[in-house]
Amino acid sequence: MANKRKTREERIKEIHDAAFEVFASKGFHRTTMEDVIARTELSKGGFYYYYSSTKEIMIDMMRVGNLYYMEYNPFMRKLDQVETLAEKIDIAMEAFLEKSLVVTDARKVYTMFLHEVLYDREYWDVFIELETEFHKYILSKLGLSKKCMDDETFKANIIFISRLMNGMLFAQNMSLEPEVLLNKREEIKEMIYPFFKKMIIADCNM
């Protein structure tokens, strides 16, 4: 019996999985298209039907990853299980710490994307697109009023929190000594949480 032909979605996932493995093991700039193709069942011509460069793959992976994080991350699901804003902020704080401090191959690949933002405007535009998309999602999960979400000072505070998290994530995942930050988790929470809470509640006049 002939093998069932893979759908477009299945092929893209196959490419993303292959690229992820190579990016995580070799680094983005050391990865060639041939490296990725070799880990798929596609011919070179078939592969190039979907992507023409590792840059295209990386950007598409980031878009898919952003959607996946919003839909499946356990902290995001927990936000639906509590009622008060205070409880939701506690969960958001835990999500912040987990994203910033826990080292995974997925976050290592994300830091490679963040690095490219410095040198290529297209990456920056995608970063802003994904950041905005996530901010709208998390603010709706927190159940904040439209007045709050439209407030310019509040929006600036949310961007600041997001950039702080990305800065810590970048520092953590580029280090060969991740325990330096991970072992100080409670101290980091103690420093950040009051500020985190103030910016979301007090500065929004909730």
Side-chain angles (χ1 to χ4, degrees):
M1 183 176 179
N3 291 331
K4 180 182 177 182
R5 186 172 182 176
K6 290 185 178 180
T7 65
R8 175 181 175 81
E9 291 72 24
E10 289 171 333
R11 285 298 187 196
I12 288 174
K13 184 179 185 306
E14 178 184 2
I15 292 169
H16 286 187
D17 289 346
F20 175 81
E21 288 180 12
V22 188
F23 291 162
S25 62
K26 291 186 66 174
F28 178 64
H29 277 289
R30 293 183 179 182
T31 297
T32 66
M33 290 290 275
E34 287 70 24
D35 290 330
V36 183
I37 293 169
R39 292 183 182 239
T40 71
E41 297 176 353
L42 288 158
S43 65
K44 187 172 183 178
F47 190 97
Y48 276 87
Y49 172 79
Y50 293 98
Y51 296 103
S52 62
S53 67
T54 54
K55 173 182 175 178
E56 284 187 4
I57 299 171
M58 173 66 88
I59 287 175
D60 205 23
M61 285 173 62
M62 292 301 106
R63 289 192 169 115
V64 171
N66 203 46
L67 292 173
Y68 187 89
Y69 184 84
M70 291 188 289
E71 186 170 355
Y72 295 107
N73 183 272
F75 289 103
M76 300 302 104
R77 293 187 170 191
K78 284 182 182 179
L79 289 173
D80 293 327
Q81 299 169 10
V82 297
E83 296 182 0
T84 69
L85 181 57
E87 291 175 306
K88 290 178 183 291
I89 290 174
D90 286 342
I91 293 171
M93 182 73 230
E94 291 303 315
F96 175 99
L97 291 170
E98 194 271 344
K99 184 75 177 285
S100 302
L101 301 180
V102 178
V103 175
T104 67
D105 282 346
R107 285 166 198 164
K108 286 181 181 178
V109 171
Y110 179 61
T111 63
M112 297 174 199
F113 167 75
L114 291 179
H115 184 265
E116 295 308 302
V117 164
L118 296 172
Y119 304 103
D120 188 322
R121 181 60 190 240
E122 186 176 356
Y123 283 100
W124 170 253
D125 291 341
V126 172
F127 172 79
I128 294 297
E129 169 197 327
L130 300 181
E131 182 181 59
T132 302
E133 182 179 57
F134 181 72
H135 288 173
K136 289 179 179 178
Y137 174 82
I138 192 66
L139 293 178
S140 69
K141 284 287 187 179
L142 290 172
L144 299 179
S145 68
K146 187 176 187 304
K147 174 186 175 183
C148 181
M149 293 167 66
D150 289 341
D151 181 80
E152 291 302 319
T153 299
F154 180 74
K155 287 193 285 189
N157 288 342
I158 292 299
I159 290 173
F160 177 82
I161 291 172
S162 175
R163 303 289 169 82
L164 179 63
M165 181 182 71
N166 276 317
M168 290 176 59
L169 183 154
F170 191 92
Q172 182 70 318
N173 284 272
M174 66 172 280
S175 173
L176 295 178
E177 298 178 330
E179 67 278 359
V180 170
L181 291 181
L182 191 58
N183 289 344
K184 296 295 183 181
R185 186 184 187 281
E186 291 306 311
E187 288 84 352
I188 292 171
K189 180 177 180 180
E190 186 178 340
M191 286 190 298
I192 295 175
Y193 183 74
F195 175 69
F196 192 91
K197 188 173 182 179
K198 174 184 181 296
M199 291 216 302
I200 294 180
I201 297 181
D203 287 355
C204 195
N205 299 314
M206 297 295 291

